[in-house]
Amino acid sequence: MAWQLLTGNVAAVSLLISVWMHLHYRFYRLSEVQAQLGFGLMMGLAALLSMVLSVEVDSGYYLDLRSTLLAISAVYGGPLATVVTGTLTLSCRIYMGGAGLEPGLISIALVSLLGLCVRFLLRRRQVAAEKIVASALTVAAVSLAMSISYQSSGSYIATLGLVMTAVKFVATLLAASVITYFHAFTIERDILRAALTQAPDFHYIKNQKSEFVVTNLNVAHQHGRTKSSEMVGLTDFDLYPCEMAQTFFDREQAIMSSGQPLVDFEEPFHEEDGQERWFLTSKVPLRNRQGALIGLAGVTRDVTEKKRLVQEALDSRNVLSQAMREMSDGLAMFNPEGRLVFCNDQYRAAFPRSAYARQPGAHITDIVRAVVRNAERTDVGPDVSEEWIQESAAQLFATRDTEIPLFDGRWLSLRTRLASDGSALVVVSDITSMKRSEEELKQFAVEMKGLAYTDSLTGIANRRVFDQAISEEFARACRNGSPLSLLLCDVDHFKAFNDTYGHQEGDNCLKAIGETLRSIIRRPSDLVARFGGEEFAILLPGTDGDGAVRLAEGLRALLHGRAIPHRASSQSIVTVSIGVASMSTASTFGAPAALIEAADQALYDAKTKGRDCIGMAADQAQAA
């Protein structure tokens, strides 16, 4: 009975830690003080639950995991969290009373103070393992000291105390490791979120239906929204006139269908007051690791002012001279013979190694030779031929947009436009930040795609991942002649559970079952997935029927140990029925669907037999 209570104690503490991680992930806007108070409160509740489920080994002496929660709160939560957790723990221990009250209060104070010392001493250390081990050693040291004091009094509690010292040490290691991993994950999430939402231009990601999935604040403000989340699910048809929205939609669908990115595409937009604005847009199709198209990422920059300056430059040289002094980009004009007529300082500054050659009267071929000779462009080698130089110079008289990388890591956009008299106007823009933003968006898309493969409720793999995995593993098993087993699990009387406890508790029940299934898997190749509704699937490559049945029995036992209440069930706890199907070299399953169908039939047989049992596929049952 004592070990059952201790097992329940560990499970309850683990559940509350998991609840905190989920809550903190959802409420990421909490301030640091609020986060510390919330963390301390959750660790305090976990400690209270641990003390409620404690084992009374002697009058007034209790064994529980409160020290683990106190240490975690102090090391990872800080002083505010420690005050909250310590206050709740001290109050509960005083209420419990008994002969062990005084040493119990001392141990609570010691663990809290030592935990804060560990946090203070290791606050500047980057090695997470040091905090983890230090937390576990703190708990073990205090527990061992208490055990020694009991031994000096001749109490048999000392023996159990030594055992609990080891248990607390392991529990603290595990809890600290989980919290450390969660903190690292939170930091990565915040960095990605800040990189997207605080980027200077209009950044957005759309799905295959051209619906906004993620945008930054600039996009939201541009369309009269106050938050980025208000853009999710909208399309251009919700924001622009129908004809314009259709144009945008067709262009994006063409990008995704062809796989060709749209780079530096300039397009006008006429506002309701009649004003015209120009935008520079780059859009790239996004693909997952398997190469499947999942959407597109876009970066748009308002270039209205730049367009106005360029147009005025073409209309009047005097206006052009004024504009050149004010604009941020480089601007140069070449006559029809290829000689530089004039340029602004920004144009020369954009090319530091060949600036000396970019003087009025210089020919374009001499400028190209200076670029090659000084290795100014990283995409041009020093040994190019004279023919290449002449061809590059001739490109000056073609309307084109070019992006070039420079030796110092910058990227420049060269936009060449021809005038009616044959002269060429070149506008040079530094697009380094935009190129970096594109790379950041691509990286962000890679991070985001993982969300498409996880069941949002249980945190395990979803049906899409399962379907892909069983197809791959089935083909591998057929190719190698290796066994493959599948378990389909269905929660018994789950509708009655929802009717009795409500859908919120039903969701919590499914989360708990998902955690139980995930905890029983030991190999990286095994897969736990939500199959649908209250059904779960476990895919076991390299496992034969006997091994699958043993794992199914272990799963039932583990779920019985959790004893999730279910008063509408004849068992009074939540149970599952499991269908097992396995294939070997002698199996006749022709496709993954046949293996699933066999497991589903076995699950139906288990339900028919009264539930809370294991059903095996027909050929396996005969072999057994």
Side-chain angles (χ1 to χ4, degrees):
M1 182 63 180
W3 289 109
Q4 291 178 347
L5 286 174
L6 287 176
T7 302
N9 202 313
V10 172
V13 169
S14 301
L15 177 61
L16 281 181
I17 291 177
S18 176
V19 168
W20 163 250
M21 290 191 295
H22 284 284
L23 290 177
H24 189 265
Y25 180 80
R26 295 293 182 185
F27 301 106
Y28 64 91
R29 289 190 175 89
L30 291 177
S31 66
E32 183 177 358
V33 172
Q34 291 172 329
Q36 289 184 11
L37 292 175
F39 185 71
L41 178 61
M42 191 58 67
M43 294 302 102
L45 292 176
L48 293 181
L49 184 57
S50 176
M51 296 169 73
V52 170
L53 297 176
S54 63
V55 179
E56 186 174 11
V57 296
D58 199 359
S59 178
Y61 289 92
Y62 301 92
L63 296 180
D64 51 54
L65 296 178
R66 82 189 86 146
S67 299
T68 293
L69 281 308
L70 286 165
I72 294 298
S73 180
V75 175
Y76 293 93
L80 288 178
T82 305
V83 169
V84 175
T85 305
T87 300
L88 292 174
T89 309
L90 286 169
S91 300
C92 182
R93 187 62 189 89
I94 293 172
Y95 175 78
M96 295 170 69
L101 175 60
E102 182 178 349
L105 298 179
I106 293 174
S107 68
I108 292 172
L110 281 176
V111 171
S112 300
L113 291 175
L114 291 176
L116 289 175
C117 290
V118 169
R119 176 183 175 86
F120 176 77
L121 293 174
L122 301 181
R123 68 186 185 280
R124 300 184 185 277
R125 306 296 289 270
Q126 299 297 322
V127 182
E130 294 182 356
K131 274 190 177 182
I132 296 172
V133 174
S135 301
L137 290 176
T138 298
V139 173
V142 174
S143 181
L144 185 62
M146 294 295 102
S147 299
I148 294 174
S149 68
Y150 297 149
Q151 190 174 17
S152 64
S153 303
S155 173
Y156 73 91
I157 303 174
T159 303
L160 290 177
L162 292 175
V163 175
M164 279 302 296
T165 298
V167 172
K168 292 177 181 179
F169 179 80
V170 174
T172 307
L173 278 178
L174 294 175
S177 299
V178 170
I179 295 296
T180 299
Y181 171 80
F182 175 71
H183 280 184
F185 173 80
T186 301
I187 291 173
E188 292 178 2
R189 179 205 64 189
D190 292 343
I191 290 174
L192 288 173
R193 186 184 300 276
L196 179 64
T197 58
Q198 300 174 23
D201 295 322
F202 303 106
H203 295 263
Y204 46 89
I205 296 175
K206 294 185 176 182
N207 60 22
Q208 291 176 270
K209 298 179 181 179
S210 290
E211 296 173 338
F212 287 100
V213 177
V214 180
T215 72
N216 65 354
L217 283 175
N218 285 347
V219 176
H221 292 164
Q222 173 70 16
H223 297 291
R225 272 68 176 180
T226 58
K227 297 185 296 184
S228 300
S229 59
E230 296 177 5
M231 296 293 299
V232 176
L234 299 180
T235 67
D236 290 326
F237 291 95
D238 301 310
L239 307 172
Y240 300 102
C242 184
E243 183 177 351
M244 180 180 295
Q246 186 65 48
T247 301
F248 294 160
F249 177 82
D250 294 340
R251 186 180 299 146
E252 290 175 351
Q253 292 301 309
I255 293 172
M256 289 187 281
S257 61
S258 66
Q260 297 298 320
L262 179 71
V263 180
D264 287 351
F265 179 76
E266 291 184 354
E267 54 188 339
F269 175 74
H270 296 276
E271 297 183 334
E272 295 180 356
D273 58 3
Q275 292 186 354
E276 183 183 63
R277 298 178 64 189
W278 282 81
F279 293 92
L280 182 69
T281 300
S282 294
K283 296 179 181 180
V284 295
L286 301 178
R287 300 183 182 277
N288 59 19
R289 283 179 294 183
Q290 290 73 37
L293 184 71
I294 58 175
L296 63 81
V299 180
T300 299
R301 176 187 297 174
D302 189 337
V303 294
T304 305
E305 182 66 13
K306 186 184 299 183
K307 289 287 293 184
R308 184 184 66 81
L309 291 174
V310 172
Q311 187 59 47
E312 289 180 354
L314 292 173
D315 294 339
S316 170
R317 183 168 179 170
N318 293 332
V319 176
L320 173 62
S321 299
Q322 178 64 29
M324 289 172 59
R325 290 193 294 270
E326 300 295 332
M327 68 187 304
S328 59
D329 293 339
L331 189 66
M333 179 71 77
F334 291 83
N335 64 19
E337 289 71 40
R339 295 194 177 277
L340 183 62
V341 178
F342 62 87
C343 66
N344 61 2
D345 293 337
Q346 293 90 327
Y347 173 76
R348 279 189 288 267
F351 304 94
R353 289 188 175 180
S354 61
Y356 68 92
R358 301 176 187 271
Q359 302 295 332
H363 197 272
I364 183 62
T365 55
D366 296 327
I367 294 176
V368 174
R369 290 192 184 98
V371 171
V372 174
R373 184 167 50 251
N374 293 282
E376 191 163 55
R377 288 175 53 174
T378 59
D379 62 335
V380 177
D383 54 350
V384 297
S385 64
E386 179 64 19
E387 182 180 357
W388 183 92
I389 293 176
Q390 294 296 333
E391 291 177 354
S392 297
Q395 293 177 0
L396 172 68
F397 299 101
T399 298
R400 61 198 302 267
D401 294 343
T402 308
E403 294 180 357
I404 60 172
L406 297 188
F407 68 97
D408 55 3
R410 291 180 298 120
W411 279 82
L412 297 181
S413 170
L414 275 62
R415 284 169 289 162
T416 305
R417 299 293 182 268
L418 299 181
S420 58
D421 63 351
S423 60
L425 177 70
V426 180
V427 179
V428 180
S429 303
D430 189 333
I431 59 170
T432 306
S433 60
M434 189 175 73
K435 296 291 288 187
R436 290 173 180 168
S437 297
E438 290 176 2
E439 291 300 321
E440 291 172 357
L441 277 175
K442 292 178 182 178
Q443 182 63 32
F444 179 79
V446 171
E447 298 290 340
M448 290 288 292
K449 68 179 180 177
L451 299 177
Y453 299 110
T454 303
D455 180 66
S456 60
L457 176 63
T458 62
I460 62 178
N462 59 19
R463 178 64 181 270
R464 178 181 181 181
V465 175
F466 170 79
D467 289 340
Q468 181 176 342
I470 194 172
S471 297
E472 295 174 353
E473 295 299 341
F474 187 92
R476 184 180 290 109
C478 293
R479 186 171 57 251
N480 300 334
S482 57
L484 175 65
S485 296
L486 172 64
L487 276 63
L488 287 184
C489 310
D490 186 82
V491 183
D492 296 327
H493 304 294
F494 186 70
K495 183 180 184 302
F497 186 97
N498 271 338
D499 293 340
T500 303
Y501 296 95
H503 288 281
Q504 183 62 45
E505 286 301 319
D507 288 349
N508 292 336
C509 176
L510 292 178
K511 291 178 185 177
I513 292 175
E515 293 170 2
T516 303
L517 268 64
R518 187 162 45 195
S519 68
I520 203 171
I521 296 302
R522 295 292 182 266
R523 302 181 307 171
S525 60
D526 297 338
L527 175 70
V528 175
R530 188 175 181 186
F531 193 72
E534 66 269 23
E535 289 188 353
F536 297 83
I538 302 179
L539 188 62
L540 304 170
T543 301
D544 57 16
D546 292 339
V549 171
R550 285 195 297 272
L551 188 140
E553 290 288 359
L555 174 59
R556 288 183 60 249
L558 189 59
L559 194 57
H560 275 251
R562 293 196 71 157
I564 302 173
H566 188 355
R567 61 174 177 266
S569 170
S570 58
Q571 301 284 349
S572 298
I573 60 173
V574 172
T575 60
V576 295
S577 297
I578 305 174
V580 179
S582 299
M583 62 174 287
S584 63
T585 55
S587 296
T588 58
F589 296 111
L595 183 63
I596 296 174
E597 183 178 354
D600 189 59
Q601 182 59 47
L603 174 60
Y604 177 78
D605 294 342
K607 290 283 189 181
T608 305
K609 293 176 183 178
R611 296 181 171 85
D612 190 24
C613 62
I614 300 171
M616 294 184 292
D619 55 340
Q620 294 171 251
Q622 292 172 4

